[in-house]
Amino acid sequence: MDEKPLIIIENLKKYYPVRKGIRELFNTKKEFVKAVDDISLTISRGEILGLAGESGSGKTTTGEIIVRLQEKTSGEIVLDGHPIDDSSREGRKRFRREVQMIFQDPYETLNPRSTVFETIAEPLKIHGWKDKEKIYRRVWEALEIEELKPPEQYLFSYPHELSGGQRQRVAIARGIVLEPKFLVADEPVSMLDVSIRADILNLLKGLRRDMGLTMLYVSHDLSTIKYICDRIAVMYLGKIVELGPVNKVLSKPMHPYTKVLFSAVPVADPDHVKERIVIDDEVPDQINLPVGCRFIPRCPYVKDQCSSCTHELFEYAPGQFSACIYREENLTVNDDRIIDEP
Amino acid sequence: MAFLEVKNLEITYTIGSGSLKAVDGVSFSLEKGQSLGVVGESGCGKTTIAKGLMQLLPKNGSITGGSIKIDGKEMVGLSREAMRRMRLKEIAMISQSAMNALNPVYTIGDQLVEGIMAHSSLGRKEALRRAVEVFEMVGLEEKRLKSYPHQLSGGMKQRAVIALALTLNPPLIIADEPTTALDVVVQDRILHRILKIQKEINSSMIFITHDISVVSEICEYIMVMYGGKVMEMAKTDDFFRHPYHPYSLGLQNAFPIITEEMEELISIPGSPPNLQNVLPGCRFQERCPFAEQRCRDEEPGFAEPEPGLLTACHFPERVEEFREKAAHRDTWETVRKRLIEEMKEGAAHG
């Protein structure tokens, strides 16, 4: 992974204007929800980067901007040397071939009137494949990669004949049939039963191993991120608060928010003694952000200097960055913030 | 006799001209103050049990056998009116989708007060006082009583639903995936709040979820269901330390644990059985790597290899061997290959 990163994201911003109805006429000051606020990231070739955070953190928006389902407000995203908003015909086509997305709900992403074959063959046809024999063979291959075996059993099935796990495999097969370079997976297993989740996760891991696929794995579930990702970026209110190798971040989180998030994950181990950090669980105001660190209103370790925080990432340990102005060992619980409850 | 006694409960849905038993001979009991986690995949019958206990089954579903006794009183066969009076006061449900459990055109306070007045002898003033109390219990400010559901966040709505369910200190609480749609930080707070209230009013709780790690954190007992039947039932700690049933072993392999270094997750190949066409023998036979002829011929009863631990497997004495083998991917791969072969054969004959 020493060569140039596949994806470089620089100062990415996405602001949504807030509509205030009639008041807009009298108040010229525009307000925005800063869904993604100045984030920079790189993803190396063959790397799986996990993007974590709660609802409203901007993780899904980031994923959608990378696949151009949404337009960015400002910033730069470069994929393999080409800016993704290259609007030449050739540039657009290359982008559509190289970047694919898998969504959360396998019940809604497949066209109910298309067979599995039609669904997977469609991208091939759009990208100029004409030879029917070749298309058939490629679809067959994709089904085999997806462990939808024997493929002849599935080729002419409709989505309603398939289970949730099988549908998600079809959706992934459609995503990889053009051999993309980059895949964005937004909560791809959260709708699936536990016993089949592992299959999909292993499949994604296998795609990286066998095809060298680079991935952005967007999820709120830290346990699956830990299992599948190399690095993790934790987002809070549009900012990246912590970034680093998954094993480090999830064994020794540095940013207070990551610590809180980690402590809230239920653990299926009766012998595990957990340090519970209880904080205010209300979703913060996304329009009137606090001065300085955005986690101030909920942070159990807050101090006076936190209002000077600029969310700059500090490399406190090799490869592990935190946006907190304090090192982890200097964090002390602020007594005013202790919530007295089990 | 235990506070809640469920015996051989059968719940049947009619579908078209056929029917299926979504819950098939389930028995368990629960003392006051105890909590039981019910886990399993979609379609295993866990939510149907919840709806059956509340007698809020959909039109095509009905209790076709068995008995449900609360505090010695038989619930099956009660009139609709009698059952309506039981709800909220004796048995209350915290449902999955807080978004849909609240009426959008009434304030939360009105809905609470209405519920309290309909199910108790309290007057409006006392009902309102009670509403303020439960709001405090679930951690909502009093002024939120005047809010409409759309003015609350997901977490607040879920707490309002909990408040609604707990207003009359019901001795039996049924929680059906109460935190599934919430963020982990919110989930953590809400789970512990439910737990605290349940202990305070000494209710029995049935907690239904697909997430076994949640059960590990908040329930004393666990019941694993598969295809409408109970596969294993045990004290939660015993279950997580040493499960017996092959299905439980498979579930544990498939579940990522954040505090542990995981080598590899292994899924259980195949999919849950078709309950409209039930095979004789064990429900798990098709996906079980240890299935033998006996499993296809004869349905296993419960064995009690350890005090208080029940497993519906013919071979509880081979558990050491099962645990050892179940930890290897190859063991489950053979099942996958077998299922693929069977599909091919099926296609060739069909």
Side-chain angles (χ1 to χ4, degrees):
Chain A
M1 287 196 219
D2 45 14
E3 49 185 328
K4 250 177 70 189
L6 180 74
I7 289 225
I8 304 169
I9 300 170
E10 262 169 12
N11 306 105
L12 180 70
K13 286 183 187 172
K14 177 69 187 178
Y15 292 0
Y16 297 103
V18 181
R19 294 192 173 272
K20 288 178 299 191
I22 192 124
R23 268 175 288 167
E24 235 167 320
L25 291 172
F26 307 108
N27 189 354
T28 44
K29 191 178 141 257
K30 274 220 167 239
E31 285 187 335
F32 293 95
V33 170
K34 297 174 176 175
V36 177
D37 196 9
D38 200 4
I39 67 166
S40 300
L41 266 181
T42 60
I43 309 176
S44 310
R45 272 165 221 279
E47 184 181 40
I48 305 181
L49 178 79
L51 201 53
E54 57 194 333
S55 320
S57 62
K59 57 187 194 304
T60 293
T61 307
T62 306
E64 289 184 352
I65 291 172
I66 297 177
V67 296
R68 296 196 67 192
L69 279 175
Q70 297 202 42
E71 284 307 313
K72 60 190 192 295
T73 305
S74 69
E76 192 76 42
I77 301 175
V78 178
L79 172 80
D80 209 8
H82 304 280
I84 63 160
D85 41 7
D86 175 358
S87 59
S88 68
R89 200 184 147 74
E90 193 197 327
R92 285 204 316 256
K93 199 143 195 194
R94 182 182 51 233
F95 178 78
R96 291 279 171 242
R97 193 174 56 239
E98 292 181 350
V99 179
Q100 293 290 333
M101 183 161 189
I102 304 162
F103 298 89
Q104 176 173 9
D105 188 348
Y107 294 86
E108 287 188 352
T109 48
L110 299 179
N111 184 339
R113 292 173 190 277
S114 299
T115 61
V116 168
F117 176 78
E118 287 163 352
T119 301
I120 302 175
E122 195 184 6
L124 295 173
K125 287 177 184 160
I126 291 170
H127 283 270
W129 288 48
K130 294 229 162 56
D131 186 341
K132 285 208 170 122
E133 176 83 37
K134 262 187 171 168
I135 293 177
Y136 187 80
R137 232 181 299 143
R138 182 72 195 126
V139 172
W140 184 281
E141 270 172 31
L143 287 174
E144 284 203 314
I145 294 173
E146 293 303 310
E147 298 268 344
L148 287 166
K149 290 181 199 166
E152 65 266 28
Q153 277 285 315
Y154 296 97
L155 275 177
F156 302 105
S157 306
Y158 286 91
H160 72 265
E161 299 170 282
L162 305 175
S163 70
Q166 289 165 342
R167 283 177 214 218
Q168 196 60 302
R169 283 160 193 271
V170 172
I172 300 174
R174 178 179 55 184
I176 60 154
V177 71
L178 284 166
E179 302 194 345
K181 288 182 177 155
F182 186 62
L183 194 68
V184 174
D186 190 350
E187 304 272 14
V189 297
S190 64
M191 302 270 290
L192 304 176
D193 270 318
V194 179
S195 72
I196 32 193
R197 267 185 204 185
D199 266 343
I200 301 289
L201 293 172
N202 287 335
L203 186 72
L204 291 173
K205 270 186 149 179
L207 291 177
R208 183 258 295 272
R209 189 185 57 230
D210 303 335
M211 298 171 52
L213 200 57
T214 309
M215 257 179 265
L216 181 72
Y217 181 89
V218 179
S219 177
H220 70 283
D221 182 354
L222 295 181
S223 338
T224 57
I225 287 186
K226 176 161 183 187
Y227 180 63
I228 188 173
C229 299
D230 306 301
R231 280 194 307 152
I232 178 173
V234 181
M235 286 186 76
Y236 185 76
L237 282 183
K239 292 279 190 192
I240 291 176
V241 294
E242 185 156 356
L243 173 70
V246 130
N247 289 326
K248 284 191 183 168
V249 173
L250 294 184
S251 61
K252 199 167 180 290
M254 287 181 167
H255 194 279
Y257 178 65
T258 320
K259 287 167 82 76
V260 166
L261 204 59
F262 182 75
S263 87
V265 177
V267 179
D269 175 3
D271 301 317
H272 174 68
V273 184
K274 196 153 116 175
E275 181 203 7
R276 269 189 89 227
I277 311 171
V278 181
I279 64 159
D280 184 11
D281 59 357
E282 266 325 302
V283 185
D285 186 341
Q286 296 193 297
I287 300 166
N288 304 307
L289 297 164
V291 177
C293 175
R294 295 192 177 172
F295 194 46
I296 286 178
R298 297 166 78 193
C299 183
Y301 310 99
V302 68
K303 288 195 179 75
D304 292 343
Q305 287 90 323
C306 292
S307 53
S308 68
C309 170
T310 57
H311 289 273
E312 185 193 337
L313 290 167
F314 300 104
E315 191 170 4
Y316 289 132
Q320 190 175 358
F321 300 82
S322 161
C324 185
I325 55 173
Y326 296 103
R327 285 176 170 272
E328 199 266 336
E329 56 268 27
N330 297 336
L331 291 173
T332 45
V333 175
N334 186 326
D335 288 338
D336 302 343
R337 290 291 168 86
I338 301 287
I339 291 177
D340 194 17
E341 113 171 7
Chain B
M1 180 177 250
F3 176 69
L4 172 69
E5 293 255 7
V6 175
K7 276 222 175 85
N8 292 321
L9 185 66
E10 274 183 30
I11 300 176
T12 310
Y13 289 117
T14 51
I15 288 171
S17 55
S19 69
L20 68 83
K21 270 188 205 158
V23 174
D24 193 355
V26 169
S27 303
F28 61 89
S29 61
L30 207 55
E31 296 291 349
K32 266 218 157 132
Q34 287 181 341
S35 55
L36 170 75
V38 182
V39 297
E41 295 171 74
S42 334
C44 73
K46 56 190 193 299
T47 294
T48 301
I49 288 188
K51 289 183 175 158
L53 287 169
M54 293 295 289
Q55 303 203 19
L56 288 172
L57 290 162
K59 279 209 177 71
N60 64 340
S62 59
I63 297 178
T64 44
S67 97
I68 303 170
K69 280 191 179 144
I70 297 181
D71 216 2
K73 193 173 155 200
E74 179 60 56
M75 310 296 290
V76 177
L78 274 187
S79 72
R80 283 172 70 113
E81 177 55 23
M83 194 58 217
R84 189 188 67 75
R85 266 185 261 133
M86 297 278 295
R87 287 190 206 114
L88 215 58
K89 210 159 88 190
E90 306 288 330
I91 167 172
M93 182 157 166
I94 306 170
S95 61
Q96 184 167 4
S97 48
M99 323 302 156
N100 308 329
L102 297 167
N103 189 331
V105 299
Y106 291 104
T107 64
I108 307 280
D110 283 347
Q111 296 182 47
L112 266 169
V113 169
E114 187 194 335
I116 295 170
M117 286 171 63
H119 291 274
S120 71
S121 54
L122 297 180
R124 176 164 290 275
K125 243 192 186 151
E126 291 148 305
L128 193 62
R129 201 174 320 129
R130 179 71 193 137
V132 175
E133 269 172 39
V134 283
F135 251 48
E136 203 168 281
M137 268 161 80
V138 297
L140 285 171
E141 294 164 276
E142 190 182 331
K143 66 171 191 208
R144 291 291 175 193
L145 283 168
K146 294 203 176 69
S147 301
Y148 289 90
H150 75 269
Q151 295 171 312
L152 306 182
S153 70
M156 283 199 257
K157 263 187 264 191
Q158 192 62 55
R159 289 196 222 181
V161 169
I162 295 169
L164 198 59
L166 303 180
T167 42
L168 297 175
N169 294 344
L172 178 61
I173 302 170
I174 297 167
D176 184 11
E177 307 257 13
T179 56
T180 304
L182 304 172
D183 282 317
V184 277
V185 176
V186 186
Q187 161 172 299
D188 186 59
R189 282 290 295 279
I190 290 190
L191 286 179
H192 285 87
R193 214 176 271 271
I194 293 178
L195 199 62
K196 185 178 162 217
I197 297 171
Q198 181 240 337
K199 293 286 170 232
E200 265 171 28
I201 59 182
N202 197 30
S203 307
S204 311
M205 177 164 73
I206 296 176
F207 194 98
I208 290 160
T209 179
H210 67 280
D211 187 345
I212 58 173
S213 54
V214 169
V215 173
S216 159
E217 294 223 335
I218 73 165
C219 299
E220 297 155 75
Y221 295 89
I222 185 168
M223 180 162 102
V224 179
M225 289 193 65
Y226 185 78
K229 294 222 173 245
V230 176
M231 296 288 113
E232 184 158 357
M233 195 155 31
K235 272 208 150 115
T236 311
D237 289 4
D238 293 345
F239 174 83
F240 282 99
R241 290 201 189 101
H242 34 81
Y244 275 79
H245 199 280
Y247 179 59
S248 311
L249 296 173
L251 272 186
Q252 282 205 330
N253 280 336
F255 216 84
I257 298 179
I258 195 162
T259 49
E260 281 170 22
E261 283 308 316
M262 289 160 294
E263 318 78 61
E264 200 181 20
L265 295 180
I266 310 166
S267 63
I268 306 173
S271 40
N274 175 1
L275 294 178
Q276 276 182 282
N277 182 19
V278 179
L279 299 169
C282 174
R283 290 280 153 98
F284 189 54
Q285 54 173 288
E286 291 165 288
R287 298 167 82 186
C288 182
F290 313 114
E292 293 183 6
Q293 193 52 44
R294 187 172 167 203
C295 307
R296 288 181 271 276
D297 297 338
E298 188 188 329
E299 198 188 314
F302 281 113
E304 193 172 349
E306 281 177 38
L309 189 146
L310 298 178
T311 174
C313 180
H314 285 305
F315 310 107
E317 69 287 350
R318 284 172 60 193
V319 68
E320 291 298 332
E321 174 201 339
F322 287 178
R323 282 183 195 145
E324 147 76 27
K325 284 187 179 159
H328 295 289
R329 161 169 286 274
D330 294 349
T331 309
W332 300 90
E333 271 318 299
T334 52
V335 177
R336 190 185 308 278
K337 286 192 188 118
R338 191 182 77 213
L339 290 170
I340 292 173
E341 284 310 310
E342 282 171 11
M343 259 178 95
K344 277 186 181 158
E345 267 171 42
H349 293 132

